[in-house]
Amino acid sequence: MQIDALPLSIKYKIKYPDEFIEAVKRGEIVATKCKNCGSVYFPPQKDCYNCGKNEMEWIRISNEGEIMTYSIVSQKPQGFENYEDYIIGIVRTKDGINLMAWIKGQPKVGGKVRLTTDNMRIIGEVVG
Ligand SMILES: [Zn+2]
């Protein structure tokens, strides 16, 4: 007996705060900063894990960063099979925040990037 297999897919919807999405549309990358103890969170958080308070303010993150590591993605997830290969990297910003970005240009570990957005994703353009 044979049972036909059906491909299954699950889509998760991740809810980012409106403030974050609006900033990305402006080409800015923002984080939250605890008004009580100064801890900075990226991705933005509503509550401070350090001191337990929930009074946060939005701050803009530096758009200068350095590539810590990167991967060239040639095996794409379902739904992205037709995309060209792309590069995902971890970038450490000048103010010490690590974030994931799509890398444009020739990446190298330690290479400098300028962070921007394409209205949807965070982009790290290689500048040196
Ligand atoms: Zn705090």
Side-chain angles (χ1 to χ4, degrees), residues 70-90:
Y70 66 90
S71 291
I72 300 169
V73 181
S74 57
Q75 298 292 320
K76 287 137 230 167
Q78 191 177 24
F80 292 83
E81 297 91 343
N82 296 331
Y83 279 59
E84 304 249 326
D85 289 358
Y86 53 90
I87 304 162
I88 297 290
I90 304 292

Side-chain angles (χ1 to χ4, degrees), residues 16-76:
Y16 284 98
D18 291 342
E19 291 90 340
F20 181 78
I21 292 167
E22 290 306 314
V24 166
K25 285 181 184 168
R26 291 193 307 267
E28 296 174 5
I29 305 154
V30 293
T32 50
K33 182 178 180 181
C34 176
K35 287 183 178 176
N36 185 53
C37 73
S39 296
V40 173
Y41 294 94
F42 186 91
Q45 301 292 330
K46 284 184 180 165
D47 302 308
C48 181
Y49 300 127
N50 184 47
C51 72
K53 305 269 186 191
N54 62 358
E55 287 173 39
M56 296 287 198
E57 61 183 330
W58 290 94
I59 60 163
R60 194 172 167 180
I61 295 175
S62 168
N63 69 346
E64 291 178 52
E66 184 181 323
I67 297 174
M68 308 306 291
T69 185
Y70 66 90
S71 291
I72 300 169
V73 181
S74 57
Q75 298 292 320
K76 287 137 230 167

